[in-house]
């Protein structure tokens, strides 16, 4: 396959600039980080310096005020280049909760620093060990004391928190038993980790199959002031949901980038690897799975784009954003498997980067929302099937 067939030409200036930045971070860089489980600090710094992480922040607060489609192009190109945006993608979209629901004072206080990179807002503490996907059953509780709150609880899978100055935290402010709807009584706080690390917040890294800087976070008598709460008390679940469409579209774009990387790798290898005196790519048993993965990733890309267009024009896009994430995560996984199969034994060798990307892209069928939960959303909220839980 000619390289140009899996190039996309929208936002070509942005895409060219991202590709050229990524050339400075080749496979060896990622392999070494992966082997040592190190945070790709230099890569994140380069993206910060180039302003790519601040694209969604309005110009009034120091960002470039672009849309989700430009942000998607950036993340797709990062992944298509063999790099990994997971070390910092959250810096792009977590701030959306602050932007949409924070007070003017909060926005002025934090957004310019986030835009310049002086302040890192990379961490998002929602998931808990006891509740999992059932977010409204979280136990972390913020008790009103005087003119602030005292928070106690535990989070799990809080990624990048060791590399963040701020953490967006979801906690209950009214017990579930005392609210009329289970989605009420949850609030969002912006925790300043520079003040609270080891003074109310303790972090314990989790060793995982990918290099993702993910952790457990223990919260013990953490005192936060009222002005660290974002928006109204008790409305936090809605604020978090508001941010999820952006997250789903951007993760979908990363998956499309991964799929294109795998398909390119598989195609190149299939053309060049000779077995039985012919290129393996001459066999339809090798060609067809690659062609199918290509078709699937192109179709998924259309849904990512549709969701992005709706999002940028302020239209409802819950259905499309969920389908984009679902289809793109499936497409990248299919492409990963096909790429591995095409490479045979060499797919397992670290130096080909396939086994690393294979592990990395698998995450997206589970996080930030699992495939089953998207299917359940579509079944219940789009198709009107009976509620299952
Ligand atoms: C590397 C990594 C990074 C992460 N980063 C973050 C982060 O930064 N912040 C954060 O808050 N969270 C983070 N997460 C958590 C992630 O969002 C959750 O793992 C994910 O939402 C699934 O939740 P769970 O692991 O608790 O699975 P569970 O809720 O325990 O579910 C287990 C399985 O059962 C399925 N299931 C559950 N209920 C149903 C049902 N009713 N019907 C059908 N199937 C069902 C699920 O789909 C899943 O496949 C991260 C996770 C990982 C692995």
């Amino acid at each position: 396959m000619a390289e140009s067939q899996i190039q996309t030409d929208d936002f070509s200036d942005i895409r060219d600039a991202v590709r050229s930045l990524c050339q400075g971070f080749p496979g060896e860089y990622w392999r070494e980080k992966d082997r040592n489980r190190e945070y790709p600090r230099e890569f994140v710094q380069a993206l910060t310096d180039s302003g790519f992480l601040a694209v969604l922040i309005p110009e009034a607060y120091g960002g470039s005020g672009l849309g989700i489609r430009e942000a998607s192009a950036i993340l797709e190109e990062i992944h298509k280049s063999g790099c990994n945006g997971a070390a910092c993608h959250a810096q792009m979209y977590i701030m959306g909760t602050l932007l949409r629901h924070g007070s003017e004072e909060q926005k002025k206080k934090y957004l310019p620093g986030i835009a310049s990179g002086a302040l890192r807002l990379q961490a998002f503490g929602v998931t808990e060990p006891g509740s999992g996907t059932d977010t409204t059953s979280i136990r972390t509780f913020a008790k009103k004391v005087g003119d602030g709150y005292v928070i106690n609880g535990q989070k799990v899978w809080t990624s990048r928190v060791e590399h963040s100055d701020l953490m967006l935290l979801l906690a209950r402010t009214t017990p579930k038993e005392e609210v009329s709807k289970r989605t009420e009584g949850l609030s969002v706080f912006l925790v300043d980790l520079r003040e609270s690390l080891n003074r109310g917040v303790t972090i314990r890294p989790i060793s995982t199959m990918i290099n993702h800087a993910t952790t457990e976070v223990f919260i013990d008598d953490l005192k936060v002031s009222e002005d660290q709460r974002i928006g109204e008390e008790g409305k936090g679940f809605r604020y978090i949901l508001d941010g999820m469409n952006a997250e789903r579209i951007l993760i979908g774009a990363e998956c499309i980038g991964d799929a294109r990387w795998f398909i390119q790798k598989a195609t190149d290898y299939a053309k060049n690897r000779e077995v039985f005196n012919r290129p393996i790519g001459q066999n339809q048993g090798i060609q067809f799975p690659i062609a199918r993965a290509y078709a699937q990733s192109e179709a998924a890309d259309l849904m990512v784009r549709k969701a992005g267009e709706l999002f940028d024009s302020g239209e409802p896009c819950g259905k499309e954003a969920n389908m984009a994430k679902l289809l793109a995560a499936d497409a990248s996984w299919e492409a990963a498997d096909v790429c591995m199969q095409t490479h045979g034994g060499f797919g397992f060798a670290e130096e080909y980067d396939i086994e690393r990307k294979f592990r990395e892209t698998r995450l997206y069928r589970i996080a930030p929302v699992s495939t089953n939960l998207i299917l359940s959303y579509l079944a219940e909220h789009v198709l009107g099937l009976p509620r299952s839980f």
Side-chain angles (χ1 to χ4, degrees), residues 126-146:
V126 175
T127 311
E128 296 190 3
S131 50
T133 303
D134 183 6
T135 306
T136 64
S137 297
I138 60 167
R139 301 250 178 80
T140 296
F141 198 86
K143 187 169 181 243
K144 194 93 215 268
V145 178

Side-chain angles (χ1 to χ4, degrees), residues 123-128 138 155-158 167-171 240:
F124 191 34
V126 175
T127 311
E128 296 190 3
I138 60 167
K155 296 287 172 182
V156 70
W157 305 120
T158 314
M167 169 173 64
L168 206 64
L169 180 75
L170 185 71
I240 296 288

Side-chain angles (χ1 to χ4, degrees), residues 111-323:
L111 287 177
I114 296 171
S116 74
L119 262 184
R120 296 164 306 166
L121 173 55
Q122 301 267 30
F124 191 34
V126 175
T127 311
E128 296 190 3
S131 50
T133 303
D134 183 6
T135 306
T136 64
S137 297
I138 60 167
R139 301 250 178 80
T140 296
F141 198 86
K143 187 169 181 243
K144 194 93 215 268
V145 178
D147 55 2
Y149 295 85
V150 176
I151 310 182
N152 279 286
Q154 187 187 341
K155 296 287 172 182
V156 70
W157 305 120
T158 314
S159 304
R160 302 163 297 269
V161 68
E162 297 162 288
H163 307 282
S164 197
D165 301 306
L166 305 167
M167 169 173 64
L168 206 64
L169 180 75
L170 185 71
R172 272 227 161 262
T173 35
T174 309
K176 196 176 172 190
E177 308 70 51
E178 292 173 24
V179 287
S180 52
K181 273 174 75 183
R182 59 186 173 165
T183 50
E184 284 170 8
L186 292 152
S187 302
V188 174
F189 298 90
L190 196 58
V191 174
D192 194 329
L193 294 159
R194 294 165 303 176
E195 292 163 5
S196 51
L197 198 58
N198 301 323
R199 282 181 295 228
V201 173
T202 313
I203 300 171
R204 190 190 296 162
I206 307 176
S207 171
T208 62
M209 70 185 251
I210 51 171
N211 182 24
H212 198 86
T214 197
T215 70
E216 285 179 286
V217 174
F218 300 89
I219 305 166
D220 295 299
D221 288 334
L222 171 69
K223 294 180 188 59
V224 297
S225 58
E226 197 159 342
D227 59 16
Q228 285 173 260
R229 193 192 68 229
I230 295 188
E232 277 180 65
E233 184 181 293
K235 304 285 179 214
F237 188 73
R238 186 164 61 78
Y239 302 158
I240 296 288
L241 277 189
D242 272 1
M244 284 183 173
N245 288 334
E247 183 182 62
R248 298 205 191 337
I249 297 168
L250 292 173
I251 300 288
E254 292 190 338
C255 291
I256 298 297
D258 276 347
R260 289 183 167 146
W261 184 89
F262 285 118
I263 291 165
Q264 189 72 57
K265 282 269 172 202
T267 307
D268 292 345
Y269 192 75
K271 279 185 201 162
N272 296 315
R273 169 76 170 161
E274 294 202 2
V275 183
F276 298 113
N277 300 318
R278 64 204 312 213
I280 55 167
Q282 201 177 331
N283 303 301
Q284 291 187 331
I286 290 287
Q287 288 177 358
F288 286 6
I290 302 175
R292 182 179 292 279
Y294 174 62
Q296 284 171 344
S297 63
E298 291 296 301
D301 184 40
L302 291 178
M303 189 55 76
V304 174
R305 284 162 184 274
K306 181 174 181 184
E309 277 162 27
L310 289 169
F311 186 97
D312 280 343
S313 46
E315 301 287 324
C317 64
K319 180 176 80 173
E320 289 79 7
N322 272 286
M323 289 194 290

Side-chain angles (χ1 to χ4, degrees), residues 34-95:
D34 183 61
R35 207 174 295 124
N36 302 325
R37 290 295 187 262
E38 272 171 15
Y39 187 70
R41 202 177 304 279
E42 305 79 6
F43 176 69
V44 175
Q45 192 59 49
L47 282 178
T48 306
D49 294 344
S50 60
F52 289 133
L53 298 183
V55 282
L56 294 174
I57 299 179
E59 284 176 302
Y61 300 106
S64 36
L66 298 174
I68 206 84
R69 283 174 301 167
E70 286 90 342
S72 298
I74 292 168
L75 291 174
E76 183 200 320
E77 288 301 328
I78 288 174
H79 281 249
K80 188 146 72 75
S81 304
C83 301
N84 190 346
C88 52
H89 55 199
Q91 179 91 358
M92 275 189 177
Y93 55 77
I94 298 180
M95 68 81 209

